[in-house]
Amino acid sequence: MIWLADWGAMHWLILAFILLILEIIVPGIFFLWWGIAGLIVAAMTYLFPLSGVASSIAFAVIAIIATLVWWRYQSTNAQQDRVNNGLNQRDMMMLGQQGKVTELVSSNLGRAAFGDTTWRIEGEQLQLNDHVEVVGVKGITLVVRKV
């Protein structure tokens, strides 16, 4: 660990670039924050002469904080995407769509064509060839009303 005590701005800069190159080679965003922390410590060491221990502690603290901030931002962003994005929620994307009743099992249940596919539907007093609009979803069944 004696070699670490002699580290200056140039050593931190080299480490930062190695970490940033690793980020390009290795998938993920983990090395990016360590590389940025290395750049910050290189700048700090250049402006203020820090000991090897102080610069190592600064690197560790900055890298951990940057990683945690990114993780927090990413998890919040992913949760918002799940709520706001209709991807893989085709049934929810059907809300407001209009179709035509093609089959009836009873006066309340049947199937309707929406575009190029048919869906199981539930509505009040449905008849064959009625035009319907999707107003809700119950599991895999679309709740419809006559238009």
Side-chain angles (χ1 to χ4, degrees), residues 12-104:
W12 285 109
L13 197 58
I14 291 169
L15 176 65
F17 284 126
I18 289 171
L19 290 169
L20 292 173
I21 290 169
L22 272 174
E23 176 63 27
I24 294 170
I25 296 170
V26 178
I29 303 198
F30 193 69
F31 289 113
L32 174 66
W33 305 113
W34 288 15
I36 291 172
L39 290 173
I40 292 170
V41 171
M44 287 173 47
T45 306
Y46 180 75
L47 296 174
F48 314 105
L50 298 175
S51 69
V53 173
S55 60
S56 298
I57 291 172
F59 173 75
V61 168
I62 293 168
I64 289 170
I65 289 172
T67 303
L68 290 175
V69 166
W70 173 251
W71 177 79
R72 174 83 176 195
Y73 168 77
Q74 191 66 8
S75 66
T76 303
N77 203 17
Q79 287 174 354
Q80 288 175 352
D81 280 350
R82 272 186 242 120
V83 171
N84 297 333
N85 190 351
L87 187 62
N88 293 330
Q89 296 179 355
R90 190 164 179 216
D91 52 352
M92 291 301 194
M93 301 278 296
M94 294 297 293
L95 292 175
Q97 296 292 319
Q98 293 186 357
K100 187 176 186 180
V101 177
T102 58
E103 288 180 46
L104 284 176

